[in-house]
Amino acid sequence: MSEHGDRIAPLEALPAGMAVPFGGDRLTFVSPELAAAFRSGDRLVVVQDTGDLLHVPAAVAAEVDRATAAAQGAFSALSGVSDDAISTFFEGFARRIEDDQIWSRFAAANAADVGAAQARGRSTTRLIASDAMRRDMAAGLRSWRDSPAGRGRVLERIAHEGWSVEQVSAPLGAVGFVFEGRPNVFADAAGVLRTGNTVVFRIGSDALGCARVLMAEAVVPALAEAGLPQGAMSLVDSAERSAGWALFADRRLALAVARGSGPAVAQLGAIARQSGTPVSLHGTGGAWMVADEAADAGRFGEVVFHSLDRKVCNTLNVCVILKSRAAELVPVFLQALEAAGRRRRGCRLHVLEGARAFLPSSGWLDAMAEVVRAEGVVVEPRADLIPEADLALEWEWEETPEVSLAVVEDLASAIALFNRHAPRLVATLISQDPAALARFESGVEAPFTGDGFTRWVDGQYALNRPELGLSNWEGGRLFARGGVLAGDGVFTVRTRMRQVDTGLDRSRP
């Protein structure tokens, strides 16, 4: 016991108005609502960055502890499982995804989840399990089946006289994974097994019903068939948001991964960091596209259209056009936006003041449109004027493509605008000038840059590896890694020595 052990007592209650220190030099206070809800055995997570007081009921904490302990125990057992057995698991999982009877039960659960989410006014753009999702899940699992085994891979060898040193990849541990209502992420999360890790994950409440079916019908049988420990993929079976807080506060995690966007992800990251767990986070989404003086109009229109096929984090969110080409390219942009709207259901435009002069005199700022929102169809202005600060907003659309438009003086201004307001995720330049592209890519603060459509930013699509998550540069550049975290990127490095000369002695000159 420490010298202060006699001063430690269990937290039995939280009186309303109780002061709670955070951040080393600030106080926050217990609200009446938190005080009334807190019971003996519950946990309190204090977010040191913000002072948020997060209540974790005892039952939720127990479920997280069960799932995390299962993943931790499975990690130890997985060291005795062959790489071929892991490959067998991936094939078995994929085969069950393709089984029509299993998929029909999963689809029924998914339909129930979608209906419940819609009734609550929740977005379902990522929740619906389509045939394309099914194919991609199976293909992703088989890509892990066929990928090289990562355990024991020699990364570097340094030869010395009479001995040598090797840097060798080794499994990292239990990976905690929190993701929104996207059932396909199961296949992505499974990738950590390829390098000998295990995963414990909490899925958003919108998709928990179909997650339970997928675990029971596909994951658990595939693990058993391959001879892998059952906890290798462990689901936190709780619809409570507090389950994510408890999971990321668990010091047994070797890595915490959060997929999604906005303040909830930032909060999860803060919890993991203060617990000493490294994190991989995806902040705000939304891609930016810039058309410069050397842009080809036809190419520009094509890539705008193909960047708006559906709403995900790499969908075009802000389009910036240089003033010298605005009279020609703004109409091209609008035509592409309208074409994308015909493929979906209408379109919505937000216009920075400087771009207003380049809009047609009618049909946009003076028009109304039906817009599909999570809560249903609403009538809104087809276009509106926004302040510059609103370029930082990610437009979360359902079926109605929604984009911001800005016009700037030159490429340097476009780069500065991106670095000031963008989520620092995807930046693309449409230009026929290689020198301009080089200036753009060296100037923008983004891990993903290109010269075409924005939707290429995806681990499976671009790198043939299902991603655990994308990371942007909102919080600064990433240390020694790229913006795509895939399962085969989850490892630690072990250094081992091989000695030939038994007479080695450090005391010799």
Side-chain angles (χ1 to χ4, degrees), residues 198-410:
T198 59
V199 61
V200 52
F201 51 91
R202 186 259 172 183
I203 192 168
S205 58
D206 289 346
L208 185 56
C210 57
R212 289 167 173 155
V213 172
L214 201 59
M215 282 294 295
E217 300 278 353
V219 174
V220 170
L223 289 170
E225 179 183 62
L228 270 60
Q230 283 297 303
M233 288 190 69
S234 184
L235 172 68
V236 176
D237 195 345
S238 173
E240 297 295 325
R241 185 181 176 192
S242 58
W245 305 333
L247 178 60
F248 273 34
D250 197 309
R251 296 177 182 273
R252 291 172 292 183
L253 297 184
L255 173 69
V257 181
R259 283 178 67 156
S261 62
V265 168
Q267 186 181 69
L268 285 168
I271 293 169
R273 288 191 186 98
Q274 70 188 37
S275 301
T277 303
V279 297
S280 174
L281 302 177
H282 174 38
T284 306
W288 281 48
M289 182 182 295
V290 177
D292 84 339
E293 293 177 344
D296 177 88
R299 178 184 177 89
F300 174 57
E302 285 286 312
V303 297
V304 168
F305 174 76
H306 293 297
S307 297
L308 293 169
D309 61 315
R310 64 186 290 252
K311 176 60 189 130
V312 284
C313 67
N314 56 28
T315 300
L316 176 61
N317 196 69
V318 176
C319 183
V320 181
I321 299 174
L322 266 59
K323 189 174 182 179
S324 61
R325 295 291 305 281
E328 176 190 1
L329 294 183
V330 167
V332 174
F333 166 75
L334 295 177
Q335 290 168 10
L337 177 58
E338 290 180 310
R342 288 192 294 271
R343 180 166 59 173
R344 307 291 297 191
R345 190 169 172 180
C347 58
R348 185 82 162 80
L349 179 63
H350 305 277
V351 184
L352 203 62
E353 179 60 47
R356 172 161 50 171
F358 299 97
L359 293 180
S361 58
S362 63
W364 288 95
L365 288 172
D366 61 346
M368 304 298 288
E370 289 188 345
V371 178
V372 180
R373 298 294 181 195
E375 64 271 19
V377 178
V378 297
V379 177
E380 298 179 3
R382 194 181 188 209
D384 59 6
L385 294 173
I386 60 171
E388 181 181 309
D390 282 0
L391 292 178
L393 296 178
E394 179 185 6
W395 306 114
E396 291 286 0
W397 51 271
E398 296 291 311
E399 289 292 332
T400 306
E402 193 165 359
V403 189
S404 295
L405 174 66
V407 172
V408 299
E409 289 292 333
D410 50 32

Side-chain angles (χ1 to χ4, degrees), residues 89 92-98 102 106 137 141 186 211-225 233:
F89 160 72
F93 192 175
R95 194 173 64 249
R96 287 170 173 82
I97 293 292
E98 293 171 335
I102 292 175
F106 170 75
M137 289 174 70
L141 290 164
F186 264 82
R212 289 167 173 155
V213 172
L214 201 59
M215 282 294 295
E217 300 278 353
V219 174
V220 170
L223 289 170
E225 179 183 62
M233 288 190 69

Side-chain angles (χ1 to χ4, degrees), residues 288 290 320 322 408 410-422 424 427 429 436-445:
W288 281 48
V290 177
V320 181
L322 266 59
V408 299
D410 50 32
L411 187 58
S413 299
I415 292 171
L417 197 67
F418 177 93
N419 290 342
R420 191 158 58 246
H421 297 296
R424 301 189 175 194
L429 178 70
L437 182 61
R439 288 197 303 276
F440 179 79
E441 292 185 331
S442 65
V444 291
E445 287 291 316

Side-chain angles (χ1 to χ4, degrees), residues 75 78-79 150-152 169-173 195-197 490-494:
F75 175 69
L78 204 58
S79 63
R151 296 182 293 183
S169 66
L172 187 65
T195 42
N197 303 289
V490 180
F491 61 89
T492 187
V493 176
R494 177 174 287 163

